[in-house]
Amino acid sequence: MARPRKPLLSRDRIVETASALVDAEGLDAVSTRRLAAELGVSGPSLYNHFRNKDEILDAVADSVSAQVDLSMFDASDTRDWRAALHDWAVSYRAALSAHPHIVPVLAQGPGRRPAGLRVADAVFGAMVRAGWPPAQATYIGALMRYFITGSALGSFARGFVDDETAYDPADYPHLGQAHLLAERRQQVDEGAFETGLRALIDGLALQYAPPAQQVR
């Protein structure tokens, strides 16, 4: 019988394998040698699809950006800019939270990544259509990226140990319940994100001047 053929190597297979490695072991786990071994191919064959490790990590980051819902920015969507910005931010954070190890790469900005650029284009375009001046729309996009990626870089609640003796009231009089935070990580982190997100959007709403009211 003929031996079964190995699946053809493709960009998608490389990205899927690299993404799984990043999720499981972090950015340092990715190397062309490791990927070649995982894929059952020779190292040089990877260079038919990517020039180096950085390009592979860029593609992994872009695959995460592609998971972000942008439907709220469609011209046919009825949500106002506040609701659209909120729902997009929630979707963006969910994508990053599912792949936290790639966040440092995403935090550098979209560069030339197609999916990342589509995200930036959708947010900027929606804010301009809503009446924000282009400069302010740019600031809003930057502000939201800082906030969302920052929230996904680490867990506030996980930063406290679940050992009650670690927080002596004599030294930390206001941290008597801090040892309980770790076991409530999701509740704390999601509550903090939602609180901050609503505060940001409410603050932007105070600055908002619809086109008919803008001073020319």
Side-chain angles (χ1 to χ4, degrees), residues 19-117:
S19 182
L21 275 177
V22 171
D23 285 347
E25 302 179 34
L27 294 173
D28 291 341
V30 178
S31 67
T32 53
R33 178 178 297 181
R34 176 75 183 277
L35 281 173
E38 294 284 337
L39 290 161
V41 299
S42 62
S45 62
L46 297 177
Y47 297 117
N48 294 324
H49 302 277
F50 295 97
R51 289 183 297 180
N52 50 45
K53 171 183 171 177
D54 288 341
E55 280 197 357
I56 294 171
L57 290 178
D58 258 1
V60 171
D62 213 39
S63 72
V64 174
S65 293
Q67 299 171 26
V68 180
D69 181 14
L70 298 176
S71 63
M72 66 287 296
F73 297 131
D74 291 343
S76 59
D77 195 280
T78 59
R79 280 169 280 194
D80 68 7
W81 69 267
R82 290 172 287 270
L85 203 60
H86 174 277
D87 294 348
W88 164 73
V90 170
S91 175
Y92 195 1
R93 181 177 181 270
L96 299 192
S97 296
H99 307 280
H101 292 149
I102 199 65
V103 173
V105 179
L106 280 162
Q108 297 171 10
R112 297 176 182 272
R113 303 178 202 131
L117 289 170

Side-chain angles (χ1 to χ4, degrees), residues 127-133 208-216:
M127 294 303 100
V128 170
R129 285 197 307 273
W132 288 95
Y208 178 66
Q213 299 177 19
Q214 289 176 2
V215 178
R216 298 184 182 276

Side-chain angles (χ1 to χ4, degrees), residues 102-177:
I102 199 65
V103 173
V105 179
L106 280 162
Q108 297 171 10
R112 297 176 182 272
R113 303 178 202 131
L117 289 170
R118 282 192 290 273
V119 171
D121 181 73
V123 176
F124 178 79
M127 294 303 100
V128 170
R129 285 197 307 273
W132 288 95
Q136 290 294 319
T138 299
Y139 300 156
I140 291 170
L143 167 67
M144 298 305 292
R145 183 163 68 84
Y146 298 154
F147 176 67
I148 297 165
T149 56
S151 74
L153 279 171
S155 164
F156 174 82
R158 193 175 285 166
F160 295 87
V161 299
D162 60 0
D163 178 3
E164 185 174 5
T165 64
Y167 307 107
D168 189 329
D171 296 321
Y172 315 107
H174 305 296
L175 296 181
Q177 301 297 307

